[in-house]
Amino acid sequence: MMTPLDKITRSQPPVRMQRRFFMGGSAAALCTWMLGAPLLAQAAAAKTPAKEAFLKVSLILTGYAKLPPAQAERVYQALAAGDPAFSGQMLALQKFIAERKLNASSLQAALDSEQAVFAALPRNILQGWYVGVVGSGAQAKCIDYEEALMNLAVSDQLRPPSYAYGVYGSWGAQPVQTAGKKS
């Protein structure tokens, strides 16, 4: 006697997957997974109130209208990793600036005179942006070098030190003078 299950399994031929379909499906699954990884990274880097405050304060402090997003993420992550209170202090700093309508030149004096808990924060942020280093001593983290704002500020005339931009020994030749300017 046949059960309903026997009828179903015997009436359908077994599925035989050819190797090319298996490989194609595997490749498609791998591509889908790999394309999804950057989206997950972007979701992880989503803007939080503290991160938005960091970006706004960074624009005020640096005087730039726009800052590189990847560099901003590195500076933010390094500062946040070094201080568990960073997010709260960042929000408090932004509020402090907004309430008093401060600009970069008057901010540090106001923070120091009121002895704010987060008075060192603007210096730490600027160090991360301009020097490319967050922290000091054994805890210092180099997060950028060539694109650090100190190097970009003079990039029309100078290159970051320790980079050779020519063939071996090219630095030994005398600089070429052009129309009144020394190279």
Side-chain angles (χ1 to χ4, degrees):
M1 177 172 195
M2 290 179 72
T3 65
L5 184 60
D6 290 335
K7 289 181 183 177
I8 292 173
T9 54
R10 289 186 183 169
S11 63
Q12 296 176 351
V15 177
R16 294 193 185 266
M17 188 179 292
Q18 293 181 354
R19 184 173 31 177
R20 71 182 76 151
F21 291 121
F22 174 75
M23 294 302 288
S26 299
L30 179 63
C31 288
T32 302
W33 176 78
M34 289 181 73
L35 291 174
L39 296 175
L40 292 174
Q42 287 176 350
K47 290 185 179 173
T48 62
K51 193 176 290 187
E52 287 182 20
F54 168 75
L55 292 172
K56 288 177 184 176
V57 170
S58 291
L59 292 173
I60 292 168
L61 293 173
T62 62
Y64 282 82
K66 188 176 180 185
L67 293 166
Q71 189 174 357
E73 182 66 23
R74 288 192 305 270
V75 174
Y76 176 82
Q77 292 299 331
L79 287 167
D83 183 5
F86 176 75
S87 295
Q89 289 183 352
M90 197 68 247
L91 293 169
L93 176 60
Q94 182 192 17
K95 184 178 176 185
F96 184 87
I97 293 169
E99 286 175 350
R100 291 162 181 78
K101 296 178 177 45
L102 297 169
N103 58 27
S105 62
S106 59
L107 174 61
Q108 197 61 54
L111 287 169
D112 292 342
S113 70
E114 293 191 29
Q115 297 179 347
V117 175
F118 45 86
L121 199 52
R123 291 183 187 109
N124 296 339
I125 293 169
L126 285 172
Q127 178 182 339
W129 278 110
Y130 275 90
V131 181
V133 175
V134 171
S136 61
Q139 287 76 35
K141 292 180 185 177
C142 180
I143 54 170
D144 209 328
Y145 178 68
E146 192 171 357
E147 299 297 318
L149 295 184
M150 70 176 179
N151 290 325
L152 293 180
V154 296
S155 64
D156 60 334
Q157 297 294 319
L158 301 173
R159 304 267 177 137
S162 83
Y163 280 89
Y165 290 97
V167 297
Y168 180 78
S170 64
W171 55 86
Q174 286 292 328
V176 177
Q177 290 191 8
T178 59
K181 288 187 177 180
K182 292 184 178 180
S183 298

Short mmCIF file of all heavy atoms in Angstrom, two decimals, residues 30-73:
data_model
loop_
_atom_site.label_atom_id
_atom_site.label_comp_id
_atom_site.label_asym_id
_atom_site.label_seq_id
_atom_site.Cartn_x
_atom_site.Cartn_y
_atom_site.Cartn_z
N LEU A 30 27.69 34.83 -3.96
CA LEU A 30 28.90 35.49 -3.47
C LEU A 30 28.89 36.98 -3.85
O LEU A 30 29.20 37.84 -3.03
CB LEU A 30 30.15 34.81 -4.03
CG LEU A 30 31.48 35.42 -3.62
CD1 LEU A 30 31.66 35.30 -2.11
CD2 LEU A 30 32.62 34.75 -4.35
N CYS A 31 28.52 37.28 -5.09
CA CYS A 31 28.46 38.69 -5.52
C CYS A 31 27.43 39.47 -4.72
O CYS A 31 27.67 40.60 -4.31
CB CYS A 31 28.13 38.78 -7.01
SG CYS A 31 29.51 38.28 -8.06
N THR A 32 26.29 38.87 -4.48
CA THR A 32 25.26 39.53 -3.70
C THR A 32 25.76 39.80 -2.29
O THR A 32 25.56 40.89 -1.75
CB THR A 32 23.99 38.65 -3.64
OG1 THR A 32 23.56 38.41 -4.98
CG2 THR A 32 22.89 39.32 -2.85
N TRP A 33 26.43 38.82 -1.70
CA TRP A 33 26.97 39.00 -0.36
C TRP A 33 28.03 40.09 -0.34
O TRP A 33 28.05 40.94 0.54
CB TRP A 33 27.55 37.68 0.14
CG TRP A 33 28.19 37.82 1.48
CD1 TRP A 33 27.58 37.88 2.69
CD2 TRP A 33 29.60 37.94 1.74
NE1 TRP A 33 28.51 38.01 3.69
CE2 TRP A 33 29.76 38.06 3.14
CE3 TRP A 33 30.73 37.94 0.94
CZ2 TRP A 33 30.99 38.19 3.74
CZ3 TRP A 33 31.96 38.07 1.54
CH2 TRP A 33 32.08 38.19 2.92
N MET A 34 28.94 40.09 -1.33
CA MET A 34 30.02 41.08 -1.37
C MET A 34 29.49 42.48 -1.61
O MET A 34 30.01 43.45 -1.07
CB MET A 34 31.06 40.70 -2.42
CG MET A 34 31.88 39.48 -2.01
SD MET A 34 33.11 39.03 -3.21
CE MET A 34 34.29 40.34 -2.97
N LEU A 35 28.48 42.61 -2.43
CA LEU A 35 27.89 43.93 -2.67
C LEU A 35 27.13 44.41 -1.46
O LEU A 35 27.02 45.61 -1.22
CB LEU A 35 26.98 43.90 -3.90
CG LEU A 35 27.70 43.73 -5.24
CD1 LEU A 35 26.68 43.57 -6.35
CD2 LEU A 35 28.64 44.88 -5.52
N GLY A 36 26.64 43.49 -0.67
CA GLY A 36 25.92 43.87 0.54
C GLY A 36 26.84 44.31 1.66
O GLY A 36 26.46 45.09 2.52
N ALA A 37 28.10 43.86 1.65
CA ALA A 37 29.05 44.21 2.71
C ALA A 37 29.29 45.72 2.80
O ALA A 37 29.26 46.28 3.89
CB ALA A 37 30.36 43.46 2.52
N PRO A 38 29.52 46.44 1.67
CA PRO A 38 29.68 47.89 1.79
C PRO A 38 28.42 48.58 2.32
O PRO A 38 28.51 49.57 3.04
CB PRO A 38 29.98 48.35 0.35
CG PRO A 38 30.52 47.15 -0.33
CD PRO A 38 29.84 45.98 0.31
N LEU A 39 27.27 48.03 1.98
CA LEU A 39 26.03 48.62 2.48
C LEU A 39 25.94 48.45 3.99
O LEU A 39 25.48 49.35 4.70
CB LEU A 39 24.81 48.00 1.80
CG LEU A 39 24.71 48.25 0.30
CD1 LEU A 39 23.53 47.49 -0.28
CD2 LEU A 39 24.60 49.73 0.00
N LEU A 40 26.39 47.30 4.49
CA LEU A 40 26.40 47.10 5.94
C LEU A 40 27.39 48.05 6.60
O LEU A 40 27.13 48.57 7.68
CB LEU A 40 26.76 45.65 6.27
CG LEU A 40 25.71 44.60 5.89
CD1 LEU A 40 26.26 43.20 6.13
CD2 LEU A 40 24.42 44.82 6.64
N ALA A 41 28.53 48.27 5.96
CA ALA A 41 29.52 49.20 6.51
C ALA A 41 28.97 50.61 6.54
O ALA A 41 29.18 51.36 7.50
CB ALA A 41 30.80 49.15 5.68
N GLN A 42 28.24 50.99 5.49
CA GLN A 42 27.63 52.32 5.48
C GLN A 42 26.57 52.44 6.57
O GLN A 42 26.45 53.47 7.21
CB GLN A 42 27.00 52.60 4.12
CG GLN A 42 28.01 52.86 3.04
CD GLN A 42 27.36 53.04 1.68
OE1 GLN A 42 26.17 52.78 1.50
NE2 GLN A 42 28.14 53.48 0.72
N ALA A 43 25.82 51.38 6.77
CA ALA A 43 24.80 51.41 7.82
C ALA A 43 25.46 51.55 9.19
O ALA A 43 24.97 52.25 10.06
CB ALA A 43 23.94 50.15 7.77
N ALA A 44 26.61 50.88 9.36
CA ALA A 44 27.33 50.98 10.64
C ALA A 44 27.88 52.38 10.84
O ALA A 44 28.02 52.85 11.96
CB ALA A 44 28.46 49.96 10.68
N ALA A 45 28.21 53.06 9.73
CA ALA A 45 28.76 54.40 9.82
C ALA A 45 27.66 55.47 9.77
O ALA A 45 27.92 56.62 9.47
CB ALA A 45 29.77 54.63 8.69
N ALA A 46 26.44 55.06 10.04
CA ALA A 46 25.32 55.99 9.99
C ALA A 46 25.53 57.13 10.97
O ALA A 46 26.20 56.99 11.99
CB ALA A 46 24.02 55.26 10.32
N LYS A 47 24.97 58.25 10.62
CA LYS A 47 25.16 59.44 11.45
C LYS A 47 24.35 59.33 12.73
O LYS A 47 23.17 59.05 12.72
CB LYS A 47 24.77 60.68 10.67
CG LYS A 47 25.75 60.98 9.55
CD LYS A 47 25.42 62.28 8.89
CE LYS A 47 26.44 62.56 7.80
NZ LYS A 47 26.10 63.72 7.02
N THR A 48 25.04 59.56 13.82
CA THR A 48 24.41 59.63 15.13
C THR A 48 24.43 61.10 15.54
O THR A 48 25.16 61.90 14.94
CB THR A 48 25.19 58.79 16.15
OG1 THR A 48 26.51 59.34 16.25
CG2 THR A 48 25.28 57.33 15.72
N PRO A 49 23.68 61.50 16.54
CA PRO A 49 23.72 62.90 16.98
C PRO A 49 25.14 63.35 17.35
O PRO A 49 25.54 64.45 17.02
CB PRO A 49 22.79 62.92 18.19
CG PRO A 49 21.83 61.81 17.94
CD PRO A 49 22.61 60.75 17.23
N ALA A 50 25.90 62.48 18.01
CA ALA A 50 27.27 62.84 18.39
C ALA A 50 28.15 63.01 17.16
O ALA A 50 28.99 63.91 17.10
CB ALA A 50 27.85 61.79 19.32
N LYS A 51 27.96 62.15 16.16
CA LYS A 51 28.77 62.25 14.94
C LYS A 51 28.41 63.51 14.16
O LYS A 51 29.28 64.19 13.63
CB LYS A 51 28.56 61.01 14.07
CG LYS A 51 29.59 60.89 12.96
CD LYS A 51 29.43 59.63 12.17
CE LYS A 51 29.82 58.43 12.98
NZ LYS A 51 29.84 57.18 12.22
N GLU A 52 27.14 63.83 14.11
CA GLU A 52 26.73 65.07 13.43
C GLU A 52 27.28 66.28 14.17
O GLU A 52 27.72 67.25 13.54
CB GLU A 52 25.20 65.13 13.32
CG GLU A 52 24.66 64.15 12.29
CD GLU A 52 23.15 64.23 12.14
OE1 GLU A 52 22.55 65.26 12.54
OE2 GLU A 52 22.57 63.27 11.62
N ALA A 53 27.25 66.25 15.49
CA ALA A 53 27.83 67.34 16.28
C ALA A 53 29.32 67.46 16.00
O ALA A 53 29.84 68.57 15.84
CB ALA A 53 27.58 67.10 17.77
N PHE A 54 30.00 66.32 15.92
CA PHE A 54 31.44 66.32 15.61
C PHE A 54 31.70 66.98 14.27
O PHE A 54 32.62 67.79 14.13
CB PHE A 54 31.97 64.88 15.62
CG PHE A 54 33.34 64.75 15.04
CD1 PHE A 54 34.46 65.16 15.75
CD2 PHE A 54 33.53 64.23 13.76
CE1 PHE A 54 35.72 65.06 15.21
CE2 PHE A 54 34.78 64.13 13.22
CZ PHE A 54 35.89 64.53 13.94
N LEU A 55 30.92 66.65 13.26
CA LEU A 55 31.12 67.22 11.93
C LEU A 55 30.88 68.73 11.94
O LEU A 55 31.66 69.49 11.35
CB LEU A 55 30.21 66.54 10.92
CG LEU A 55 30.55 65.08 10.63
CD1 LEU A 55 29.48 64.44 9.75
CD2 LEU A 55 31.91 64.95 9.99
N LYS A 56 29.83 69.17 12.61
CA LYS A 56 29.53 70.61 12.67
C LYS A 56 30.63 71.37 13.41
O LYS A 56 31.09 72.43 12.97
CB LYS A 56 28.17 70.85 13.34
CG LYS A 56 27.01 70.43 12.47
CD LYS A 56 25.69 70.60 13.19
CE LYS A 56 24.54 70.08 12.35
NZ LYS A 56 23.26 70.15 13.05
N VAL A 57 31.06 70.84 14.53
CA VAL A 57 32.11 71.48 15.31
C VAL A 57 33.43 71.48 14.53
O VAL A 57 34.17 72.46 14.54
CB VAL A 57 32.27 70.81 16.70
CG1 VAL A 57 33.51 71.29 17.42
CG2 VAL A 57 31.03 71.06 17.55
N SER A 58 33.71 70.39 13.83
CA SER A 58 34.93 70.31 13.02
C SER A 58 34.95 71.38 11.94
O SER A 58 35.99 71.99 11.68
CB SER A 58 35.06 68.92 12.38
OG SER A 58 35.31 67.95 13.34
N LEU A 59 33.82 71.62 11.31
CA LEU A 59 33.74 72.67 10.29
C LEU A 59 34.02 74.04 10.89
O LEU A 59 34.74 74.86 10.31
CB LEU A 59 32.38 72.65 9.60
CG LEU A 59 32.09 71.43 8.72
CD1 LEU A 59 30.65 71.44 8.24
CD2 LEU A 59 33.04 71.36 7.54
N ILE A 60 33.48 74.28 12.07
CA ILE A 60 33.71 75.56 12.75
C ILE A 60 35.18 75.71 13.11
O ILE A 60 35.80 76.74 12.86
CB ILE A 60 32.83 75.67 14.01
CG1 ILE A 60 31.35 75.78 13.62
CG2 ILE A 60 33.25 76.86 14.88
CD1 ILE A 60 30.39 75.62 14.78
N LEU A 61 35.75 74.67 13.71
CA LEU A 61 37.13 74.73 14.18
C LEU A 61 38.15 74.85 13.06
O LEU A 61 39.11 75.60 13.16
CB LEU A 61 37.46 73.51 15.04
CG LEU A 61 36.74 73.41 16.38
CD1 LEU A 61 37.05 72.07 17.05
CD2 LEU A 61 37.12 74.56 17.29
N THR A 62 37.95 74.07 11.99
CA THR A 62 38.93 74.07 10.90
C THR A 62 38.76 75.24 9.95
O THR A 62 39.70 75.63 9.26
CB THR A 62 38.85 72.77 10.09
OG1 THR A 62 37.56 72.67 9.48
CG2 THR A 62 39.15 71.56 10.95
N GLY A 63 37.55 75.79 9.87
CA GLY A 63 37.29 76.86 8.92
C GLY A 63 37.02 76.37 7.51
O GLY A 63 36.86 77.17 6.60
N TYR A 64 36.98 75.08 7.32
CA TYR A 64 36.68 74.51 6.01
C TYR A 64 35.18 74.42 5.82
O TYR A 64 34.43 74.20 6.77
CB TYR A 64 37.29 73.11 5.87
CG TYR A 64 38.77 73.12 5.59
CD1 TYR A 64 39.70 73.26 6.62
CD2 TYR A 64 39.25 72.97 4.30
CE1 TYR A 64 41.06 73.26 6.36
CE2 TYR A 64 40.62 72.97 4.03
CZ TYR A 64 41.51 73.12 5.07
OH TYR A 64 42.86 73.13 4.81
N ALA A 65 34.74 74.57 4.57
CA ALA A 65 33.31 74.44 4.25
C ALA A 65 32.92 72.97 4.12
O ALA A 65 31.76 72.61 4.29
CB ALA A 65 32.98 75.18 2.96
N LYS A 66 33.90 72.12 3.78
CA LYS A 66 33.64 70.69 3.61
C LYS A 66 34.90 69.94 4.01
O LYS A 66 36.01 70.39 3.74
CB LYS A 66 33.29 70.41 2.15
CG LYS A 66 32.83 69.02 1.88
CD LYS A 66 32.42 68.85 0.43
CE LYS A 66 31.96 67.42 0.20
NZ LYS A 66 31.65 67.15 -1.18
N LEU A 67 34.71 68.81 4.65
CA LEU A 67 35.84 67.96 5.09
C LEU A 67 35.66 66.57 4.50
O LEU A 67 34.53 66.12 4.31
CB LEU A 67 35.89 67.90 6.61
CG LEU A 67 36.25 69.22 7.30
CD1 LEU A 67 35.94 69.16 8.79
CD2 LEU A 67 37.71 69.57 7.07
N PRO A 68 36.77 65.86 4.22
CA PRO A 68 36.67 64.52 3.63
C PRO A 68 35.93 63.55 4.56
O PRO A 68 36.33 63.37 5.71
CB PRO A 68 38.13 64.09 3.45
CG PRO A 68 38.95 65.32 3.62
CD PRO A 68 38.15 66.30 4.41
N PRO A 69 34.87 62.90 4.06
CA PRO A 69 34.08 62.00 4.92
C PRO A 69 34.87 60.83 5.50
O PRO A 69 34.67 60.49 6.66
CB PRO A 69 32.97 61.49 3.98
CG PRO A 69 32.94 62.44 2.85
CD PRO A 69 34.29 63.04 2.73
N ALA A 70 35.74 60.22 4.71
CA ALA A 70 36.51 59.07 5.22
C ALA A 70 37.45 59.51 6.33
O ALA A 70 37.59 58.81 7.35
CB ALA A 70 37.29 58.42 4.09
N GLN A 71 38.07 60.65 6.17
CA GLN A 71 38.97 61.17 7.19
C GLN A 71 38.16 61.56 8.43
O GLN A 71 38.59 61.32 9.56
CB GLN A 71 39.74 62.37 6.64
CG GLN A 71 40.84 62.85 7.55
CD GLN A 71 41.66 63.95 6.89
OE1 GLN A 71 41.44 64.32 5.75
NE2 GLN A 71 42.60 64.49 7.63
N ALA A 72 36.99 62.14 8.23
CA ALA A 72 36.12 62.50 9.36
C ALA A 72 35.75 61.27 10.17
O ALA A 72 35.76 61.30 11.40
CB ALA A 72 34.86 63.21 8.85
N GLU A 73 35.45 60.20 9.47
CA GLU A 73 35.09 58.95 10.15
C GLU A 73 36.25 58.44 10.99
O GLU A 73 36.07 58.01 12.12
CB GLU A 73 34.64 57.90 9.13
CG GLU A 73 34.19 56.60 9.74
CD GLU A 73 32.92 56.71 10.57
OE1 GLU A 73 32.11 57.64 10.37
OE2 GLU A 73 32.73 55.86 11.45
#
